[in-house]
Amino acid sequence: MTVTAIINAHVVPVEGEPFDGTVLIENGKVSALGADVTAPEGADVVDADGKWLLPGFVDAHVHLGTHEEGEGWAGDDTNEMTDPVTAGVRALDAVNPFDPGFDDALAGGVTSVNVNPGSGNPIGGLAVAIHTHGRYIEEMVLRSPSGLKSALGENPKRVYGEKKQTPSTRLGTAMIIRKAFMDAQNYMGKADENARDPKLEALAMVLRREIPWRQHAHRADDIATALRIADEFGYDLVLDHGTEAHLLADVLAERGIPVLIGPLFTTKSKVELRGRSIANPGKLAAAGVEISIITDHPVIPINFLVHQATLSVKEGLDPVTALRSITINPAKVLGLAERIGSLAPGKDADVVLWSGDPLDVMQRALTVWIGGKEVYRYDEAARTGVVAPRG
């Protein structure tokens, strides 16, 4: 197989110091990189001409492919609302690889995402981590399942409260989650292999710490409830959104709980969002919390992922941490840090050539490779992006 050599690049590997040099790609992986690396004979040479080369960005909380804007009910497969507990449903079964949002992701340099079920249910279902280019979802999957989604706060309270069904309060939401885990514990203690249950098997994966518990929580008191229930049942907790997480930053840092913060550009449309601020990522990081920035696409268009990081820097976030928050940090949360999130030998060749520093809003992604295959190129003459055929 032909080796691709990207030469004369300003390489930002994320883990390791930036350098001016070459990155070699072979068999879909990064095979070598460094200031003294040279292109082997017969290599397909790409001259970066001093432009910036980075790993593809990772958005660890999206609804990409399951909620297509403008399609109404026909394009919305985010929440399965037939039961407050739908732990057994899989986002994998609803992802449409031809959702236009995937093209937007490539234009924004995003090569990997984690697709979650919605937050209408106390327990919503299983997430899936995928690449952002392909026509057949199985070929795009990086990890399935990659977590189990749960929601505290206003969303499940509003959805079921309007229907006059349980739960209608925060008390009821927490009770339903506890009851589900108790049922799973009882299920795990049985020896009857014929009495399988998709809900309880999904919850059992969390209790066995095979996948993390992805807890939607905005308000500080909801975050405290998330910590409390995690202590009771002993699972790996990840906080999604974390609007008021900065108020408990010392607790989260001490316990090593990662926070996926965002979306950051929306209005304070709900009571629990009144503490939203683009300064919050910097506050969390300064306290020692490992943060990832998320778009919650389509809430924020996925190609704006890097812009959220940029404006967070403007409000106090360290630039190095900002890049980590959209690369290696979300890769760690997804259990995929050995494959994606930084440039190193043996990792997936998910590589993006930028016109300059991606934290400069005037720069853009010029060429995107996923698994060593060029999947996107910006046509400067036409001022538009060209996506490779999905197949």
Side-chain angles (χ1 to χ4, degrees):
M1 182 175 288
T2 302
V3 176
T4 298
I6 306 173
I7 66 171
N8 298 327
H10 179 67
V11 181
V12 182
V14 175
E15 292 193 307
E17 292 298 316
F19 63 88
D20 294 332
T22 296
V23 173
L24 299 183
I25 298 171
E26 187 173 3
N27 296 325
K29 304 286 184 179
V30 174
S31 58
L33 70 166
D36 300 323
V37 171
T38 58
E41 185 177 350
D44 180 9
V45 176
V46 177
D47 189 346
D49 193 26
K51 298 178 177 65
W52 289 47
L53 193 70
L54 288 92
F57 294 153
V58 183
D59 191 336
H61 184 122
V62 301
H63 305 288
L64 191 62
T66 67
H67 190 290
E68 298 184 51
E69 287 292 281
E71 299 295 332
W73 68 268
D76 186 358
D77 291 299
T78 310
N79 290 290
E80 176 51 58
M81 302 307 303
T82 53
D83 191 318
V85 177
T86 56
V89 305
R90 303 180 183 186
L92 174 72
D93 294 325
V95 176
N96 175 13
F98 295 93
D99 178 347
F102 284 103
D103 292 354
D104 294 337
L106 297 175
V110 180
T111 56
S112 302
V113 295
N114 191 63
V115 183
N116 286 326
S119 54
N121 311 65
I123 303 178
L126 296 163
V128 60
I130 61 175
H131 276 137
T132 54
H133 187 272
R135 65 179 177 86
Y136 182 46
I137 190 66
E138 270 69 19
E139 297 173 346
M140 300 164 67
V141 168
L142 289 160
R143 184 185 182 194
S144 179
S146 53
L148 183 54
K149 173 72 176 292
S150 171
L152 294 168
E154 293 181 24
N155 283 15
K157 175 182 171 180
R158 180 186 69 251
V159 168
Y160 286 93
E162 288 176 352
K163 296 179 179 181
K164 300 188 184 304
Q165 298 173 343
T166 184
S168 61
T169 63
R170 283 178 163 83
L171 292 75
T173 300
M175 179 197 68
I176 284 173
I177 293 171
R178 285 189 175 95
K179 175 64 164 55
F181 275 122
M182 291 175 183
D183 289 344
Q185 288 175 328
N186 293 335
Y187 176 80
M188 292 167 68
K190 295 178 180 178
D192 185 359
E193 296 181 357
N194 296 318
R196 301 184 66 190
D197 185 302
K199 293 182 185 180
L200 299 177
E201 290 195 6
L203 288 158
M205 293 179 71
V206 174
L207 292 174
R208 290 193 296 264
R209 291 188 162 176
E210 296 171 3
I211 57 174
W213 183 252
R214 298 289 300 270
Q215 187 66 72
H216 165 118
H218 288 281
R219 249 170 45 177
D221 58 324
D222 290 326
I223 293 169
T225 297
L227 295 171
R228 188 180 311 116
I229 298 175
D231 285 343
E232 292 173 22
F233 292 97
Y235 49 73
D236 294 328
L237 175 65
V238 175
L239 283 177
D240 284 48
H241 303 305
T243 297
E244 294 185 354
H246 60 286
L247 300 178
L248 300 177
D250 57 336
V251 176
L252 297 171
E254 181 180 356
R255 297 181 54 157
I257 306 296
V259 176
L260 277 54
I261 188 165
L264 299 171
F265 285 175
T266 61
T267 62
K268 300 172 183 180
S269 56
K270 299 187 292 184
V271 173
E272 64 186 7
L273 301 183
R274 60 189 174 187
R276 172 166 286 163
S277 170
I278 298 176
N280 287 348
K283 293 177 181 178
L284 283 168
V289 177
E290 184 177 277
I291 65 165
S292 300
I293 292 176
I294 59 173
T295 63
D296 201 11
H297 177 95
V299 178
I300 298 297
I302 192 167
N303 46 310
F304 285 6
L305 176 65
V306 68
H307 300 325
Q308 292 188 123
T310 294
L311 293 190
S312 295
V313 170
K314 181 181 178 181
E315 299 300 326
L317 181 63
D318 174 72
V320 172
T321 305
L323 275 181
R324 292 182 68 87
S325 76
I326 54 176
T327 53
I328 193 62
N329 288 358
K332 289 179 181 178
V333 167
L334 299 177
L336 292 168
E338 296 302 312
R339 291 189 60 181
I340 62 175
S342 65
L343 299 180
K347 284 200 167 188
D348 290 10
D350 300 348
V351 185
V352 182
L353 183 66
W354 288 82
S355 55
D357 182 352
L359 294 180
D360 175 353
V361 296
M362 299 305 293
Q363 307 305 320
R364 67 170 73 250
L366 298 177
T367 311
V368 178
W369 294 265
I370 292 180
K373 176 185 175 183
E374 183 181 311
V375 295
Y376 173 90
R377 179 183 292 270
Y378 181 72
D379 186 330
E380 297 195 48
R383 298 190 65 80
T384 188
V386 179
V387 177
R390 296 185 177 277

